Structures are given as structure tokens and as C-alpha cells.
Amino acid sequence: MVELVVSDIMSKVSDHRAHVLLLNERDGLRKIIVAMGFLEAQAIAFALRGIRTDRPLTHDLFGDITSVFGIELQYILINKIIDGTFCSQLCYRQGDIERTVDSRTSDAIAIALRAGVPIYIEEELLSRMCIHDERNGAFSIPITAADEATLRVAIENAVKEENYELAHKLKEEIDSRHTTQDGMPEN
């Protein structure tokens, strides 16, 4: 596992209702981006800035409830990606018992920031999904990080530009998401 730290939260230029969270490897140069909606971004921004509301927000309430029952969040783990969306686990301890709970990554990060616990990612996932700095502040992301709708638009653009090799790679990525466990295409 590799520890990540929150670096920045930004609204997407094309849609101000959508936001991206930039997470950096604590002791390295690799980064990932996590897409989320406005409310999730707001919850994370509040946690980063230490803003408390008069009444507890959902993530605060969740932390309060687990604390009352003696359940301690140890860390969160970003453990997989499905159709361009990161998935996470909340890793808890209650006495001698350790348990994990599936979570949206945005919720897991909002809870982790409030609890002051580390954010981890699987090494293989970070290596596969890390973004690369390009010129003029732009980033390039691996095709495995894009959702299917984005991949389909990219295929159309690649065909228009007669870049058939790229179109083929993008199509292979989409097809790989629609195969059964035995490697056969879904019906």
C-alpha cells in the first residue's frame, strides 16, 4: 500500500458542478485524480479547512456514531477501479476485530480527513492509474481511468483524426469492461 495526501480540489472547466480531487503519493511523484460531484467536493473542502457546521454533516455524523460504539477508523484503502470510478474500503477496528466496509472514494476521503487517518492506495492500482504532468499545467491520464462515455467520445475523435491505432486501443478498453470472468464477451 502507498500513502496518498490530498493536494488540491478543483472544479472541472467544462462543468462547474463536477469536481476533481488531486491526490499525491506522500513520498513520491505519482498522482491520481478522483472525480466527484459538488456536494462530495464541498464535504472534503470543509474537512480540509476544518470547517464545522452548527449541526453535523453526514460524514461528521458517521464519525460520531462509530466513536460512540467504540469503532475506530484505522485508514482507508483505494483498492480498485470500475468503469473509470475508484472504489474504496473503510478499514475499522473494534477491540480485536478488524473489518472493512465498501465505500465511494469521495465519502471515504471525507471521513478519513475528519478522523485524521491515512489514505492508502494499492501499489499496482497507483502504478496503473497515475497521471502524468504535461506542458502548460495539463495532465494526461491512462485510458483505464476514463469512464465509458469518455472513451466513446475519444474513439469518435480518433476516427475523425484517422488515428485508427488509438481508436482500436480505446475499443479494446471498452470491450475489456464487458467480458465475463471466463474472458468471453457479455451478451
Side-chain angles (χ1 to χ4, degrees):
M1 295 188 305
V2 178
E3 187 173 357
L4 300 174
V5 292
V6 175
S7 172
D8 200 1
I9 191 163
M10 307 165 274
S11 64
K12 289 171 69 175
V13 175
S14 61
D15 182 357
H16 292 290
R17 294 170 297 168
H19 290 74
V20 292
L21 182 68
L22 184 63
L23 297 160
N24 291 1
E25 182 178 20
R26 177 171 291 283
D27 297 318
L29 302 174
R30 296 176 293 179
K31 304 171 186 179
I32 64 166
I33 55 172
V34 177
M36 65 191 67
F38 171 78
L39 294 176
E40 294 85 357
Q42 183 180 43
I44 290 170
F46 278 15
L48 287 170
R49 295 182 182 107
I51 296 172
R52 299 287 294 188
T53 57
D54 293 338
R55 303 292 302 143
L57 298 175
T58 303
H59 301 99
D60 299 312
L61 179 62
F62 193 81
D64 293 344
I65 290 171
T66 55
S67 178
V68 164
F69 289 100
I71 301 168
E72 183 182 353
L73 181 63
Q74 301 293 300
Y75 59 90
I76 70 157
L77 175 63
I78 303 170
N79 62 332
K80 60 186 170 186
I81 189 163
I82 299 173
D83 194 22
T85 301
F86 285 106
C87 303
S88 294
Q89 293 179 327
L90 299 161
C91 302
Y92 285 98
R93 175 182 293 249
Q94 185 178 27
D96 293 336
I97 300 169
E98 293 183 6
R99 298 185 189 234
T100 60
V101 177
D102 187 42
S103 175
R104 295 186 319 171
T105 297
S106 57
D107 290 330
I109 291 171
I111 292 167
L113 291 172
R114 284 167 172 75
V117 301
I119 300 166
Y120 292 112
I121 188 169
E122 295 286 358
E123 169 65 44
E124 181 274 331
L125 184 60
L126 177 60
S127 294
R128 192 166 44 97
M129 302 308 300
C130 67
I131 61 175
H132 303 282
D133 289 327
E134 302 290 338
R135 286 176 243 136
N136 300 326
F139 295 101
S140 66
I141 63 170
I143 62 172
T144 52
D147 62 21
E148 190 170 325
T150 302
L151 291 173
R152 291 192 184 283
V153 169
I155 288 172
E156 289 176 20
N157 291 335
V159 169
K160 283 179 190 172
E161 296 172 4
E162 297 181 5
N163 187 344
Y164 303 115
E165 183 179 340
L166 175 59
H168 180 71
K169 285 181 184 178
L170 295 167
K171 175 78 168 86
E172 283 180 335
E173 175 61 25
I174 291 172
D175 290 346
S176 74
R177 296 177 185 188
H178 296 283
T179 56
T180 59
Q181 287 185 328
D182 62 1
M184 300 301 294
E186 290 178 344
N187 291 332

